[in-house]
């Protein structure tokens, strides 16, 4: 008799907006050999299009409206309760525009990934494309990192670069960065689900060795 296959790692995606990264992850995880399953999508905005994308893919959703919470702690407690109900192996922040409390982050240490539209450690925070143009940078990109207590400051797993052209605008950069995001996030999530990447005390381990620098994809 054949043994039952091992259960797939359970993924919960948290999003706040249009959910194009969520869509890329839904499509990737639908591939027959993908080693993980999106079991729920959570959102802090009731009208976010990400919820619609999840519903179209028959993925259960939950909403915790941050405007209804009295404090950041109260919001995070509600989110934590919902996540415990789903008991995910990994939480994927995909355009989730909430700063999480340190207690929350610690509770999911090593099991929470985030995507950020810059080549971290450069340009943490908001308006990255505009700031890259103002600085005259020639290279820009996206980073995927483990979430730690420091905002956009956790160890970086992988990055993808784009060249900045003279005629670029924040919008054109956003578009090209997003194309890279949609390629990179499924790759990194696959690595995580295969057990190839881990958060270590001193950085990111890949296949058991400390990464000297983030893994790189490049469009050039
Ligand atoms: C992405 O650009 C991501 O880097 C940032 O928020 C955006 C989310 O876009 N954190 P979407 O909702 O996935 O379309």
């Amino acid at each position: 008799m054949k043994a039952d296959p091992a259960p797939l790692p359970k993924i919960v995606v948290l999003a706040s907006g249009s959910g194009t990264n969520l869509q890329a992850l839904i499509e990737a995880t639908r591939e027959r050999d993908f080693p993980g399953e999106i079991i729920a999508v959570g959102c802090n905005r009731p009208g976010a299009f990400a919820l619609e994308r999840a519903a179209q893919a028959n993925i259960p959703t939950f909403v915790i409206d941050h405007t209804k919470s009295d404090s950041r702690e109260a919001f995070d407690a509600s989110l934590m309760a919902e996540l415990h109900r789903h008991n995910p192996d990994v939480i994927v922040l995909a355009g989730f525009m909430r700063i999480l409390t340190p207690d929350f982050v610690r509770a999911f240490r090593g099991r929470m990934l985030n995507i950020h539209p810059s080549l971290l450690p450069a340009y943490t925070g908001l308006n990255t494309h505009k700031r890259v143009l103002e600085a005259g940078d020639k290279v820009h990109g996206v980073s995927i990192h483990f979430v730690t207590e420091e905002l956009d400051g956790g160890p970086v797993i992988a990055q993808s670069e784009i060249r900045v052209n003279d005629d670029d605008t924040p919008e054109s950069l956003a578009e090209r960065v997003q194309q890279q995001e949609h390629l990179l996030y499924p790759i990194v999530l696959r690595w995580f689900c295969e057990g190839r990447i881990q958060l270590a005390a001193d950085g990111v381990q890949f296949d058991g060795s400390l990464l000297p620098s983030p893994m790189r994809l490049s469009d050039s």
Side-chain angles (χ1 to χ4, degrees):
M1 211 168 74
K2 263 192 171 172
D4 284 341
L8 291 175
K10 292 183 282 180
I11 304 160
V12 169
V13 180
L14 299 180
S16 300
S18 83
T20 61
N21 279 284
L22 168 66
Q23 190 66 46
L25 295 170
I26 289 173
E27 279 156 30
T29 52
R30 271 187 182 149
E31 284 166 22
R32 221 163 45 87
D33 72 336
F34 197 91
E37 183 190 3
I38 302 177
I39 54 157
V41 170
C43 202
N44 63 310
R45 292 205 180 107
F49 192 62
L51 291 168
E52 180 66 36
R53 293 180 193 272
Q56 296 256 350
N58 290 317
I59 297 171
T61 60
F62 60 89
V63 177
I64 300 176
D65 183 347
H66 65 277
T67 64
K68 304 256 159 66
S69 292
D70 293 338
S71 65
R72 201 172 284 286
E73 287 71 21
F75 173 84
D76 280 10
S78 306
L79 184 57
M80 179 95 82
E82 197 60 51
L83 287 170
H84 279 144
R85 202 165 68 77
H86 290 287
N87 193 23
D89 297 293
V90 56
I91 299 164
V92 176
L93 307 184
F96 187 62
M97 303 304 280
R98 295 286 304 169
I99 294 174
L100 297 162
T101 54
D103 281 351
F104 183 96
V105 171
R106 274 194 291 273
F108 296 102
R109 190 177 163 79
R111 294 189 289 142
M112 186 151 54
L113 309 177
N114 185 40
I115 190 158
H116 181 77
S118 79
L119 295 174
L120 291 171
Y123 306 108
T124 60
L126 297 174
N127 301 317
T128 58
H129 311 305
K130 183 166 173 276
R131 288 156 63 205
V132 160
L133 288 174
E134 282 166 1
D137 293 359
K138 294 291 168 223
V139 181
H140 182 34
V142 55
S143 304
I144 295 173
H145 64 95
F146 278 109
V147 177
T148 59
E149 288 94 321
E150 196 188 335
L151 182 67
D152 300 329
V156 179
I157 301 160
Q159 296 183 317
S160 185
E161 284 184 5
I162 62 162
R163 273 184 306 231
V164 180
N165 302 322
D166 291 344
D167 58 353
D168 265 319
T169 61
E171 293 72 29
S172 66
L173 281 183
E175 197 180 317
R176 293 213 309 292
V177 166
Q178 278 226 317
Q179 286 167 1
Q180 295 302 307
E181 294 184 354
H182 302 159
L183 294 174
L184 194 61
Y185 224 170
I187 293 173
V188 172
L189 185 57
R190 175 182 280 274
W191 288 337
F192 186 93
C193 290
E194 289 171 342
R196 299 185 69 185
I197 46 176
Q198 267 114 29
L199 177 63
D202 41 2
V204 176
Q205 287 215 336
F206 191 94
D207 287 346
S209 303
L210 199 63
L211 277 183
S213 57
M215 305 289 281
R216 283 264 168 163
L217 289 191
S218 174
D219 73 337
S220 53

